């Protein structure tokens, strides 16, 4: 039986990827951020999974306004890093796990979550920046990745409650897969940020840190927070944080072990959070 051993949460700011790719990670602006991720990188090196189930959002890269899947699961064998306007990032190809992905799709859809099946898509900074933050600059990513894309770009977005329940269905799916795989689930995006309009540049440290506290201690309660509170308190793009509830919902019930917690402002226009929870 496969199992979910841990969950990782991290922001996915594109400028972080550019800082790494352009060799700027030691510059004074970036150094505190990358130093803050060192314990997370060491943790991942010591706790290498067989597969990462990576929850992220596509930023109008693979999907346009023509087709907007609420939840899309990548069942392909591989995914190219996307060209988001400056050429594809110089990072490895992402290898998928079609067999586990198809199993999860079967189980979760039969559990009444209507997923879109994706057999080909480029992956943007939402997926590649978390891999860079957690793995550095390897020649190949350490394991296969199942991309799971959530619409948080175009209204209506899924509720935190739905995301949390979906996480529970994903745990059930993984645990019914007949192979002894160690799976990690990663939730990405956030934390507080707003990239446009009169409130551009909004950061809310207090709300972000309470979100982290509640994600650890009271995820079911946190899942009841309505989308409008994310937008009001964490900015229009702060709504990306609902994706963290998918990863949290996939953890065992009961208290997880906090392996690492880090919060930093700013990276570009964004507050950055990183949390690692292990199943007890
Ligand atoms: C930016 C883009 C993102 O998708 C995000 O999550 C945070 C910041 C940006 O363009 O700065
Ligand atoms: Fe984003």
């Amino acid at each position: 039986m496969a199992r979910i051993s841990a969950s990782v949460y991290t922001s996915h700011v594109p400028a972080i990827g550019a800082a790494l790719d352009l060799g700027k990670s030691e510059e004074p602006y970036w150094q505190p951020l990358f130093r803050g991720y060192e314990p997370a990188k060491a943790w991942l090196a010591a706790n290498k999974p067989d597969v990462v189930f990576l929850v992220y959002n596509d930023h109008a890269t693979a999907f346009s306004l023509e087709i907007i899947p609420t939840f899309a699961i990548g069942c392909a064998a591989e995914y190219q890093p996307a060209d988001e306007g400056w050429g594809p990032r110089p990072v490895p190809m992402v290898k998928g796990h079609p067999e586990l992905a198809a199993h999860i799709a079967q189980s979760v859809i039969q559990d009444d979550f209507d997923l879109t099946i994706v057999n080909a898509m480029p992956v943007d900074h939402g997926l590649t920046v978390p891999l860079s933050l957690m793995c550095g600059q390897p020649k190949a990513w350490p394991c296969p990745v199942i991309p799971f894309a959530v619409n948080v770009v175009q209204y209506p977005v899924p509720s935190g409650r739905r995301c949390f329940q979906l996480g529970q269905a994903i745990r059930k799916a993984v645990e019914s897969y007949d192979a002894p795989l160690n799976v990690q689930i990663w939730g990405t995006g956030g934390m507080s940020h707003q990239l446009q309009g009169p409130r551009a540049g909004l950061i809310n440290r207090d709300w972000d840190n309470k979100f982290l506290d509640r994600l650890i201690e009271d995820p079911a309660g946190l899942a009841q927070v309505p989308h409008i509170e994310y937008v009001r308190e964490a900015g229009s793009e702060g709504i990306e944080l609902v994706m963290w509830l998918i990863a949290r919902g996939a953890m065992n019930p009961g208290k997880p072990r906090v392996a690492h917690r880090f919060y930093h402002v700013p990276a570009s226009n964004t507050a950055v959070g990183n949390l690692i929870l292990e199943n007890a």
Side-chain angles (χ1 to χ4, degrees):
M1 161 182 127
R3 71 192 164 89
I4 292 178
S5 56
S7 50
V8 173
Y9 309 83
T10 177
S11 308
H12 64 211
V13 186
I16 294 174
L20 262 182
D21 300 343
L22 300 172
K24 297 185 174 192
S25 55
E26 290 304 317
E27 289 185 1
Y29 181 86
W30 290 110
Q31 209 239 3
L33 175 101
F34 287 106
R35 204 177 48 223
Y37 272 79
E38 284 304 323
K41 280 169 67 182
W43 176 89
L44 185 66
N47 295 275
K48 198 167 106 52
D50 297 311
V51 185
V52 169
F53 189 92
L54 203 156
V55 181
Y56 76 111
N57 67 291
D58 178 78
H59 300 73
T61 305
F63 308 126
S64 67
L65 291 182
E66 291 178 2
I67 298 179
I68 306 169
T70 301
F71 299 117
I73 185 164
C75 295
E78 55 185 26
Y79 308 87
Q80 293 282 358
D83 182 349
E84 297 179 64
W86 294 269
R89 289 192 61 213
V91 293
M93 182 87 143
V94 176
K95 298 249 183 275
H97 198 305
E99 199 184 308
L100 178 60
H103 171 84
I104 294 172
Q106 158 81 19
S107 175
V108 168
I109 290 171
Q110 288 299 319
D111 250 344
D112 305 331
F113 291 87
D114 307 314
L115 308 185
T116 299
I117 308 292
V118 180
N119 291 318
M121 67 174 166
V123 285
D124 74 10
H125 70 270
L127 185 132
T128 62
V129 168
L131 285 171
S132 296
L133 277 167
M134 294 298 298
C135 309
Q137 295 173 294
K139 285 213 161 52
W141 300 121
C143 68
V145 174
I146 298 175
F148 190 89
V150 180
N151 169 44
V152 287
V153 166
Q154 178 67 30
Y155 269 79
V157 298
S159 67
R161 186 175 55 250
R162 183 94 178 130
C163 288
F164 190 64
Q165 290 167 349
L166 172 58
Q168 294 170 330
I170 291 168
R171 176 174 72 235
K172 184 173 152 197
V174 168
E175 289 178 352
S176 64
Y177 186 69
D178 192 16
L181 293 182
N182 172 359
V183 179
Q184 286 177 9
I185 184 162
W186 294 11
T188 75
M191 297 196 82
S192 57
H193 64 299
Q194 170 144 348
L195 301 176
Q196 29 67 43
R199 297 202 309 160
L202 178 144
I203 299 287
N204 190 341
R205 291 169 190 261
D206 198 46
W207 193 89
D208 285 341
N209 277 289
K210 289 203 176 88
F211 182 91
L212 290 170
D213 292 342
R214 288 190 82 188
L215 192 70
I216 298 165
E217 302 283 343
D218 177 30
L222 181 63
Q224 302 306 318
V225 170
H227 71 88
I228 197 68
E229 181 178 325
Y230 288 82
V231 176
R232 192 192 300 123
E233 300 293 336
S236 51
E237 280 70 45
I239 188 67
E240 289 181 340
L241 285 168
V242 288
M243 296 186 288
W244 295 26
L245 284 163
I246 297 178
R248 187 66 181 89
M251 294 290 284
N252 295 348
K255 219 171 145 48
R257 198 181 84 79
V258 180
H260 179 58
R261 176 174 173 164
F262 173 63
Y263 183 74
H264 176 81
V265 178
S268 182
N269 284 316
T270 307
V272 169
N274 180 211
L275 182 68
I276 301 176
L277 301 180
E278 293 175 345
N279 270 330

